[in-house]
Amino acid sequence: MSVTILDIAKVAGVSKSTVSLVINESDKVKLETRHKVWQTINDLGYVPNMAARALTTSRTKTLGLIFLTSDETSLPYAMDSVPETLLYDVTYGINACLRNTDYSLLTERFSVSGHAKLPDLIKNKRVDGVFLIGGLYDDAFINLVLKQGIHVVIIGRHQEGVDSVSVNANKVGYLGAKYLLEQGHKQIAFISGPAHSSISQDKQNGFAAAVAELGISMEQIYFMHSPYTGLGGYQTLKQLWNDGIKPTAIFGGSDGITAGIILFLYEQGISVPKDISIISYEESLLSTHAPFSLTVIDGHKIQLGEMACMTMINRIKKQNAQEVTLIIEPSFILRNSVRSLI
Amino acid sequence: MSVTILDIAKVAGVSKSTVSLVINESDKVKLETRHKVWQTINDLGYVPNMAARALTTSRTKTLGLIFLTSDETSLPYAMDSVPETLLYDVTYGINACLRNTDYSLLTERFSVSGHAKLPDLIKNKRVDGVFLIGGLYDDAFINLVLKQGIHVVIIGRHQEGVDSVSVNANKVGYLGAKYLLEQGHKQIAFISGPAHSSISQDKQNGFAAAVAELGISMEQIYFMHSPYTGLGGYQTLKQLWNDGIKPTAIFGGSDGITAGIILFLYEQGISVPKDISIISYEESLLSTHAPFSLTVIDGHKIQLGEMACMTMINRIKKQNAQEVTLIIEPSFILRNSVRSLI
DNA sequence: TTGAAAGCGCTAACAA
DNA sequence: TTGTTAGCGCTTTCAA
């Protein structure tokens, strides 16, 4: 049907294999021949057949992004769902990085639920490597995936023995706390995330470190747990309020949580930053579209995707290179949701 | 390396082609033989090699989602970017639908800018069909794509001669207007979208139709244009305000625009729905995470993706079936951001 | 520096 | 109902 290397070979007056060599940038071919071949490739509008290439090389030039979710019930954008902003921005970053390569990206949602099943992308060998992202998976799953002899880069958390790219969660808590404390806040609620999440724990540790560093009392620092949902933030703050605890500042552990916090505050007629101060962690669609200029710790999720992509590309090139563990440092975006008490 | 049909054939004591027939669900094979073959397939853990299959059938069992964007400058989640919520939710819908098939989904961002170029996915024949989504493309581009002999489903707008799935934009305006008018609002600003967008125009027409139907004066109905960004909504409303026009209700033409509207109002200390009423169109992460319970016209974007996917699958099955044009009807989600003036 | 030829795993026409 | 066989387009030894 379409133009093949054989056609090119005929027209250029060389053999099939010479054309192949040229395409694969071999320097074993005489410059003159190379020119001639490229010439006819352009003339005839030849495009390599990926399937044929994949068949012989057993490499698909395709990567998979596997998004681990719980069994979904409510809609992804609902108030009681975890916003998928991490997925969105990381995907953006990966695609941006991949644009300069000959790799494509397949995406699959997959829910790990005890069953020893593999995502279709992996089972069907559709990909040369996978990015694993999302909170819900265990070591058994990872090991199952690793056993497939496929490259793996984990995004968002660290795992022994696997390439990974994640954010320094401790620093997230530290940066947020430090800023609030420096502005004179001493009564602070930190709704960091689910209790069982180690990342959530790390954030709290970083927070505590800043408090200690500045020699401030922990007495009125409230570490709260909540799912990473708007509803979670809302309910957690409401509980606090009902318990008569009214801090001067609140730190939301994700933009989703913060959205819930804001909802509750506005319901109570409390305005930001006049009556209360807020900062959030993440920097996503939700924080940039908040009803006021929201100060935020930036998790650099697009960069996270880009780094994951680079890591994957390098891993494919040098299979046996040492395990890579990249930690991205969060940064502070000063906007206008915190009032100085000094 | 891994198990092939030849291995299956040997073990099952049949020929390669018999195995192939069984796998492809042919009923020409004796039931007994079929059982035996499936048995060994399970025993040996055989998984078809997609590349080989693609090579012989020249069908990749892969679909492409091509997201047409402008040349990007700012970050996708920034206040001055168009939020990509349409992409997110449609992708979700397509993936949900594809889960029951043997197709996978590749995604590519592509910016059309005059150059007669094709997205890589299409050029490299990586996909059997593409979904086209996003606002920025012209007929020349569509025609170029169609010429590749690849299946095309357009999402979000209608196009002569191509399968398409879109939302009834006229009805969006109609539903929103009708509700506001019925609540007694007569001074309404409708920030529908960009002036050059036909969808934006349709929404305004629907709005006008409702006004006419209820026999209300158009005198204090303000049709405004704005890019689909938070910043656009913000600035447009600000302009209106500065011109001394202060409607009792505002209708945002997208959740992004509405986010900007909310930002401006809160900056002015105006609260919703006490001082002013708001409704939005879209129903995305942004409307569900607004700082109050936001009444919204639902564009059913997930369903949009699902329908697009079904359309594609059907198109692949019956190449010559008649052109499909699906129009999804928006619906009304009553929450609590509109005050009754009656 | 180039060519010949084998083979990747599968489907599909044709034979039996 | 099943087997034989010829490719699909490419890479990759191995020879020349």
Side-chain angles (χ1 to χ4, degrees), chain A residues 121-122 125 127-130 145-152:
Chain A
L121 291 188
I122 299 179
K125 300 232 166 33
V127 291
D128 299 335
V130 290
V145 171
L146 287 176
K147 224 180 294 173
Q148 307 305 308
I150 202 174
H151 301 298
V152 175

Side-chain angles (χ1 to χ4, degrees), chain A residues 1-2 47-52 54-55 58 60-63 72 74-81 83-85 88-89 91-92 95 99 101-111 120-121 123-126 229-231 255-256 259-260 262-264 266-267 283-286 288-293 298 300-302, chain B residues 1-2 47-52 54-55 58 60-63 72 74-81 83-85 88-89 91-92 95 99 101-111 120-121 123-126 229-231 255-256 259-260 262-264 266-267 283-286 288-293 298 300-302:
Chain A
M1 343 227 167
S2 49
V47 176
N49 179 317
M50 301 300 278
L55 183 57
S58 57
T60 60
K61 290 284 177 180
T62 304
L63 300 176
E72 282 142 49
S74 53
L75 296 168
Y77 50 71
M79 192 73 178
D80 59 348
S81 297
E84 303 185 340
T85 46
Y88 303 151
D89 293 333
T91 304
Y92 182 90
N95 271 319
R99 173 165 298 199
T101 73
D102 50 355
Y103 282 88
S104 297
L105 186 69
L106 279 168
T107 308
E108 179 176 356
R109 280 169 187 273
F110 186 77
S111 85
D120 285 343
L121 291 188
K123 203 177 59 189
N124 296 337
K125 300 232 166 33
R126 287 198 136 170
T229 62
L231 189 65
D255 280 353
I262 294 171
L263 178 64
F264 178 77
Y266 279 55
E267 216 173 81
E283 184 64 349
S284 68
L285 202 57
L286 288 175
T288 56
H289 289 74
F292 49 81
S293 172
D298 190 344
H300 299 290
K301 294 175 299 175
I302 292 180
Chain B
M1 343 228 171
S2 50
V47 175
N49 178 317
M50 301 300 277
L55 183 57
S58 56
T60 59
K61 290 283 177 182
T62 304
L63 300 176
E72 283 141 49
S74 53
L75 297 168
Y77 50 71
M79 191 72 179
D80 59 347
S81 297
E84 303 185 340
T85 47
Y88 303 151
D89 293 334
T91 305
Y92 182 91
N95 271 318
R99 173 165 299 197
T101 72
D102 51 354
Y103 282 88
S104 297
L105 186 69
L106 279 169
T107 308
E108 179 176 355
R109 281 167 187 272
F110 186 76
S111 85
D120 285 344
L121 291 188
K123 203 177 60 189
N124 296 337
K125 301 229 162 38
R126 289 199 127 158
T229 62
L231 189 64
D255 281 352
I262 294 171
L263 178 64
F264 178 76
Y266 278 55
E267 216 174 80
E283 184 65 348
S284 68
L285 202 57
L286 287 175
T288 56
H289 289 75
F292 49 81
S293 171
D298 190 344
H300 299 289
K301 293 175 299 174
I302 292 180

Side-chain angles (χ1 to χ4, degrees), chain A residues 128-147:
Chain A
D128 299 335
V130 290
F131 302 99
L132 257 32
I133 185 173
L136 297 139
Y137 51 97
D138 48 20
D139 287 2
F141 175 72
I142 300 274
N143 291 331
L144 184 60
V145 171
L146 287 176
K147 224 180 294 173

Side-chain angles (χ1 to χ4, degrees), chain B residues 62-180:
Chain B
T62 304
L63 300 176
L65 176 61
I66 300 196
F67 183 54
L68 288 311
T69 67
S70 53
D71 294 297
E72 283 141 49
T73 47
S74 53
L75 297 168
Y77 50 71
M79 191 72 179
D80 59 347
S81 297
V82 178
E84 303 185 340
T85 47
L86 175 65
L87 175 66
Y88 303 151
D89 293 334
V90 164
T91 305
Y92 182 91
I94 295 177
N95 271 318
C97 155
L98 250 30
R99 173 165 299 197
N100 311 311
T101 72
D102 51 354
Y103 282 88
S104 297
L105 186 69
L106 279 169
T107 308
E108 179 176 355
R109 281 167 187 272
F110 186 76
S111 85
V112 190
S113 29
H115 58 56
K117 273 195 186 160
L118 280 171
D120 285 344
L121 291 188
I122 300 179
K123 203 177 60 189
N124 296 337
K125 301 229 162 38
R126 289 199 127 158
V127 291
D128 299 335
V130 290
F131 302 100
L132 255 33
I133 186 173
L136 296 141
Y137 51 97
D138 49 19
D139 287 1
F141 175 71
I142 301 274
N143 291 331
L144 184 61
V145 172
L146 287 176
K147 224 179 296 175
Q148 308 304 307
I150 201 175
H151 300 299
V152 175
V153 173
I154 293 183
I155 298 176
R157 71 186 209 194
H158 173 60
Q159 180 102 9
E160 208 62 45
V162 190
D163 291 343
S164 70
V165 184
S166 57
V167 178
N168 184 341
N170 188 290
K171 184 111 174 256
V172 168
Y174 178 85
L175 283 178
K178 193 165 174 218
Y179 176 68
L180 290 175

Side-chain angles (χ1 to χ4, degrees), chain A residues 15-76:
Chain A
S15 80
K16 239 174 50 162
S17 42
T18 304
V19 177
S20 179
L21 284 174
V22 172
I23 290 170
N24 292 292
E25 322 245 285
S26 165
D27 48 356
K28 297 184 205 162
V29 181
K30 208 180 4 173
L31 196 63
E32 197 188 312
T33 324
R34 255 188 283 172
H35 280 324
K36 197 171 49 185
V37 170
W38 277 120
Q39 185 62 255
T40 51
I41 283 178
N42 287 330
D43 290 352
L44 304 193
Y46 165 77
V47 176
N49 179 317
M50 301 300 278
R53 198 174 261 182
L55 183 57
T56 51
T57 60
S58 57
R59 273 187 275 99
T60 60
K61 290 284 177 180
T62 304
L63 300 176
L65 176 60
I66 300 196
F67 183 54
L68 288 312
T69 66
S70 52
D71 294 298
E72 282 142 49
T73 49
S74 53
L75 296 168

